[in-house]
Amino acid sequence: DAGVIQSPRHEVTEMGQEVTLRCKLISGHNSLFWYRQTMMRGLELLIYFNNNVPIDDSGMPEDRFSAKMPNASFSTLKIQPSEPRDSAVYFCASSFGQSSYEQYFGPGTRLTVT
Amino acid sequence: QKEVEQNSGPLSVPEGAIASLNCTYSDRGSQSFFWYRQYSGKSPELIMSIYSNGDKEDGRFTAQLNKASQYVSLLIRDSQPSDSATYLCAVGPSGYSTLTFGKGTMLLVSP
């Protein structure tokens, strides 16, 4: 079975540029989570969707970040404009059912903003 | 604010020993508890889930939950060098609230 798929795996961009990260959920899953991981702050939840609807976006750092789920199996996380402090590993995870259920992570996107 | 606390480590154990990883949480309403293993440069991998007080065993792994003490632990028996990784504890209430992750404990198993 295919797991959560993320692209790109690595992204290097210059400050001010737009960055789009992509995620494909595990087939049959209906909850989608975007996380950011840094050494200093650990794993932070950015936003959570259930059945394509954003349920909790309190972790989104600021208006520069936006996330969409245009269909049941796909999501994007966009940063515009990007800043060096956005450099981190961004993970997408999916689960079946509610947010407190078992979540399965994608391989992550390592973002470097110079 | 919901908090999940783990000792950052590293916890060093010799091959074949039992590794004991601990986690405490602040939200008494928590109902679901998970352990994830994360190898360096990789994504978190779910290895155990536990929802009721007591022990749950899966191969060499045993998760222990004590809701009264707000404490969850992971025991790894017959530790192997391949178990060397960071172990993340995640805690969640039931329903539409999200998991809170600890910052993880690094485990080093020496041959």
Side-chain angles (χ1 to χ4, degrees), chain A residues 4-114:
Chain A
V4 175
I5 299 172
Q6 290 187 248
S7 65
R9 297 292 306 276
H10 302 273
E11 178 78 33
V12 180
T13 191
E14 292 184 346
M15 182 174 62
Q17 296 299 305
E18 177 179 298
V19 175
T20 299
L21 311 181
R22 296 174 176 81
C23 173
K24 185 177 187 300
L25 282 66
I26 292 173
S27 178
H29 282 191
N30 62 345
S31 290
L32 179 282
F33 310 84
W34 282 103
Y35 290 92
R36 177 172 68 178
Q37 187 175 42
T38 60
M39 289 292 292
M40 288 294 295
R41 301 173 69 93
L43 196 62
E44 302 175 281
L45 177 70
L46 300 177
I47 188 168
Y48 152 52
F49 292 86
N50 180 257
N51 293 324
N52 302 7
V53 176
I55 303 298
D56 183 356
D57 66 354
S58 59
M60 295 287 264
E62 48 198 271
D63 292 346
R64 297 186 299 107
F65 286 68
S66 62
K68 294 182 179 180
M69 199 163 175
N71 58 56
S73 61
F74 182 74
S75 177
T76 59
L77 177 67
K78 185 177 294 186
I79 308 172
Q80 166 62 18
S82 58
E83 296 182 2
R85 60 190 168 123
D86 301 330
S87 297
V89 180
Y90 290 80
F91 290 107
C92 171
S94 74
S95 72
F96 174 72
Q98 298 172 358
S99 62
S100 57
Y101 292 7
E102 301 171 352
Q103 298 180 21
Y104 296 88
F105 283 74
T109 296
R110 181 172 295 277
L111 173 65
T112 303
V113 183
T114 60

Side-chain angles (χ1 to χ4, degrees), chain A residues 37 43 91, chain B residues 36-45 84-88:
Chain A
Q37 187 175 42
L43 196 62
F91 290 107
Chain B
Y36 286 80
R37 177 177 63 199
Q38 187 173 22
Y39 292 114
S40 180
K42 302 295 186 182
S43 60
E45 175 192 8
S84 298
T86 296
Y87 289 79
L88 303 172

